[in-house]
Amino acid sequence: MSCIYCINFIKLKNYRILYNNSLNETSTTIRTLAGLPNNKRGLRKLQTILHTIQSLWSSLSLPFIPKPTSPFTTEQRLLSDFHRLENTMETSSGVFKGILDRFQGITVESEHEFNATDDFPEKLKRSLDYWQRERNRAIWFKVSEKHSNWIPALTKNGFQFHNARNGYLTLVRWLPENEYKNLPPCAHTMLGVGGLVVNKQRKEILVVSDRYALIPNSWKLPGGFTEPKENLVESGIREVHEETGIETEYETMISIRHSHGGLFDTSDLYFVMALTPKNFNIKRDEREISKAKWMPFEEYLNHPNVHETNRHFLRIYLDYQKCGLCFVLKKAKHQILKKEYCLYFIKSILEESDEEEGSFEGKSYLRFRTNMTSYIDLSTVEKSMAHAGTQLCTMAHKLHQVERCLDCCNLEELDDLSMLELLESMHEVRNEYQNLRKDIQEVQQLQRDVSTTLRCQLRTMHQTYQLLKKRLELKADQH
């Protein structure tokens, strides 16, 4: 009887319910209808029932139901691929059944519909005629390696290769002739991560040199490609540990680099995140990494074998620290799909610290206080300006000497030695002028840095004031 209740529940008219409920709601609904207890014992019993249903369904040649693999994956497979919801096709005999999606497309999987006795080309022709009469749109064939003999007939009937994965190839044909071919593109972007691991006490950064690097002996951040169904932060932490043996935890997202013409002619997205080390003893992966070490900030920012883009990542991180900002990671769940996703958004380090700890004590707040009260060395600006002024005076004096020499004598009367001395003086003036330009540019950059730092600290202090004010008001209300 339990089997009958379950079969009735999973009929076409109730198939939508499986997709509109969460995992727990679906499991509970099926067990209630089947008269099973809502506990682990009931779940095991449900697993046995679903295996029985699978056998009955197959023997009656009814539309496919995913084969259960474990008590905890059966419901997940029923709920996966939300866009392929709704109905299993009710078709006439002699055509492929397939699965109808919400865009009126059909997906046929060879694993579920292969029959050695079928005349595949003839069955495909009948199916295409049927789908055109039903006004279906995109027809997808997911062909397993062991059924690759389907592929020639599919390509002869207008199907095109769309994507390939381990073990199968997907082909597609768009049926409507008077409608724009609205097909989703194949996956076209590779996703990579880089870990900027910083030892703040020693002001050092973790760097590696790839054994197969395009530029030999160059230094870069540890990182690599993400694995399927792996979150960015999980990928960054894993890659750093695999390459260097350093355990880390997430601090903030830093930058995103987007480029084209990458591996397999794909685009490339590279996410750089700051990670806090939990240990400092390096154990490099000898297969991929030729060298790994902790490098001082100053050396990293000026090293000839560090690419300018990689230097830029560290500068951005230090700017975030000065301004008291970080990219927070929060996990949430989609209201309808019930799928977990990660949100990254910018926030004040002080606000994040206050939310997590509920007080102004702790490492996060201390780190913020250190950044907020960092000393701005105005004397550096003054020294640079004084040096530029001295150079300007020296250059003016040399120009005056050259001018006097030219006024006091006739160029035709000058001997070779005197002419050489004059030209040398002009060459020195030219070099001093170039040096002066560099010094002036340095002074201008220092002024911009000071101005930016002061603005960031002023904004940070204003945020601190507002938060302290709120806390004082709350305490006053409590008393």
Side-chain angles (χ1 to χ4, degrees):
M1 286 298 292
S2 295
C3 289
I4 294 171
Y5 278 118
C6 284
I7 290 172
N8 287 332
F9 180 78
I10 307 176
K11 276 183 179 178
L12 296 179
K13 63 181 180 180
N14 290 320
Y15 203 77
R16 185 190 300 265
I17 297 174
L18 288 173
Y19 287 92
N20 288 342
N21 286 306
S22 67
L23 296 179
N24 289 336
E25 290 172 338
T26 302
S27 174
T28 303
T29 305
I30 296 175
R31 278 181 275 180
T32 301
L33 287 171
L36 300 172
N38 191 20
N39 52 29
K40 289 184 178 179
R41 184 178 177 185
L43 193 59
R44 287 194 294 270
K45 182 67 175 175
L46 176 62
Q47 173 70 5
T48 305
I49 292 172
L50 289 175
H51 273 295
T52 307
I53 293 173
Q54 175 65 34
S55 301
L56 288 170
W57 223 270
S58 300
S59 63
L60 296 172
S61 298
L62 293 172
F64 171 74
I65 287 182
K67 183 179 178 180
T69 56
S70 74
F72 300 101
T73 60
T74 301
E75 299 142 349
Q76 292 172 358
R77 295 188 65 180
L78 289 171
L79 288 162
S80 66
D81 297 329
F82 184 81
H83 67 282
R84 297 173 58 202
L85 52 91
E86 310 270 342
N87 300 310
T88 302
M89 287 289 294
E90 287 186 4
T91 60
S92 58
S93 59
V95 301
F96 290 107
K97 297 178 176 63
I99 298 174
L100 177 68
D101 62 38
R102 60 192 174 108
F103 302 107
Q104 292 302 305
I106 302 293
T107 300
V108 177
E109 299 186 18
S110 67
E111 283 285 354
H112 313 318
E113 299 207 41
F114 177 80
N115 190 332
T117 62
D118 283 342
D119 181 349
F120 178 76
E122 182 60 30
K123 188 173 183 180
L124 176 61
K125 185 179 181 303
R126 288 197 301 270
S127 299
L128 287 170
D129 291 340
Y130 174 77
W131 291 326
Q132 285 176 328
R133 290 196 303 273
E134 293 293 313
R135 296 186 178 180
N136 293 114
R137 300 167 83 209
I139 308 300
W140 303 86
F141 268 78
K142 185 176 175 181
V143 183
S144 173
E145 283 181 345
K146 58 188 175 184
H147 307 133
S148 58
N149 58 326
W150 280 15
I151 295 173
L154 288 167
T155 55
K156 284 180 182 177
N157 282 273
F159 282 81
Q160 296 178 329
F161 294 165
H162 186 269
N163 65 79
R165 293 290 187 273
N166 290 338
Y168 69 87
L169 172 70
T170 300
L171 299 92
V172 63
R173 176 177 166 183
W174 182 258
L175 291 184
E177 296 179 357
N178 58 350
E179 190 178 342
Y180 171 72
K181 188 187 287 188
N182 191 19
L183 293 172
C186 175
H188 52 74
T189 301
M190 302 290 282
L191 197 61
V193 292
L196 193 144
V197 185
V198 174
N199 182 343
K200 294 177 183 173
Q201 291 182 341
R202 297 175 62 91
K203 293 187 178 179
E204 292 177 335
I205 181 173
L206 181 63
V207 293
V208 298
S209 182
D210 277 346
R211 189 173 294 280
Y212 307 104
L214 289 173
I215 305 174
N217 298 316
S218 59
W219 294 101
K220 71 175 194 68
L221 305 177
F225 290 115
T226 60
E227 299 289 344
K229 299 182 180 179
E230 184 178 43
N231 293 334
L232 289 172
V233 170
E234 294 170 355
S235 180
I237 291 172
R238 174 186 56 76
E239 283 288 347
V240 169
H241 182 257
E242 287 177 358
E243 293 187 358
T244 67
I246 301 295
E247 295 280 358
T248 58
E249 60 185 4
Y250 176 77
E251 182 180 350
T252 180
M253 195 64 69
I254 296 175
S255 183
I256 303 170
R257 186 197 68 199
H258 191 199
S259 61
H260 306 287
L263 199 61
F264 308 119
D265 198 29
T266 60
S267 298
D268 178 71
L269 273 173
Y270 179 59
F271 290 82
V272 181
M273 63 192 74
L275 301 171
T276 303
K278 295 181 179 179
N279 62 300
F280 300 95
N281 294 326
I282 296 173
K283 296 179 182 178
R284 66 181 174 87
D285 179 4
E286 296 184 359
R287 291 179 307 157
E288 297 184 17
I289 306 300
S290 61
K291 295 180 288 185
K293 69 175 185 176
W294 292 99
M295 184 180 288
F297 288 174
E298 195 64 30
E299 181 184 351
Y300 181 81
L301 292 172
N302 296 284
H303 202 293
N305 291 343
V306 175
H307 193 278
E308 178 57 31
T309 305
N310 284 324
R311 296 178 194 161
H312 185 61
F313 294 144
L314 178 58
R315 292 193 198 103
I316 295 171
Y317 171 75
L318 295 175
D319 285 344
Y320 284 176
Q321 292 292 293
K322 285 180 183 177
C323 297
L325 299 173
C326 67
F327 271 83
V328 180
L329 164 61
K330 297 291 183 186
K331 292 188 177 181
K333 186 170 285 189
H334 195 283
Q335 186 177 359
I336 299 174
L337 304 183
K338 305 300 181 185
K339 291 181 179 179
E340 190 180 77
Y341 55 86
C342 298
L343 286 176
Y344 298 89
F345 52 93
I346 199 165
K347 205 168 188 180
S348 163
I349 293 175
L350 179 61
E351 289 182 56
E352 180 64 12
S353 169
D354 194 38
E355 284 184 11
E356 288 181 358
E357 300 178 22
S359 71
F360 282 86
E361 298 175 359
K363 293 181 181 178
S364 297
Y365 177 60
L366 291 175
R367 181 173 69 245
F368 170 80
R369 286 294 299 271
T370 303
N371 296 329
M372 187 180 69
T373 58
S374 60
Y375 176 62
I376 302 170
D377 193 0
L378 294 175
S379 63
T380 305
V381 182
E382 293 174 0
K383 287 177 183 177
S384 298
M385 290 178 69
H387 181 65
T390 303
Q391 278 194 315
L392 186 60
C393 292
T394 304
M395 189 174 69
H397 178 67
K398 287 186 178 180
L399 279 172
H400 181 62
Q401 284 181 328
V402 172
E403 188 180 9
R404 281 181 62 189
C405 181
L406 291 172
D407 289 341
C408 295
C409 63
N410 188 348
L411 288 176
E412 295 178 358
E413 298 175 357
L414 286 174
D415 57 20
D416 291 343
L417 182 61
S418 299
M419 183 63 75
L420 252 148
E421 289 176 352
L422 186 61
L423 289 172
E424 188 178 346
S425 296
M426 291 297 294
H427 183 67
E428 287 177 2
V429 169
R430 179 177 174 274
N431 288 340
E432 299 242 347
Y433 171 72
Q434 290 176 343
N435 292 333
L436 180 62
R437 284 191 62 187
K438 290 179 182 177
D439 287 341
I440 291 173
Q441 288 172 353
E442 182 183 345
V443 169
Q444 290 173 337
Q445 184 59 46
L446 283 168
Q447 288 173 334
R448 284 194 292 269
D449 289 345
V450 169
S451 177
T452 302
T453 303
L454 287 171
R455 282 198 301 270
C456 287
Q457 293 192 359
L458 182 62
R459 184 165 57 247
T460 304
M461 290 185 70
H462 178 70
Q463 292 173 350
T464 308
Y465 168 76
Q466 293 295 333
L467 289 169
L468 288 170
K469 183 181 175 184
K470 288 180 182 178
R471 294 175 69 84
L472 287 170
E473 288 173 352
L474 285 171
K475 285 188 176 181
D477 291 340
Q478 289 173 0
H479 289 292

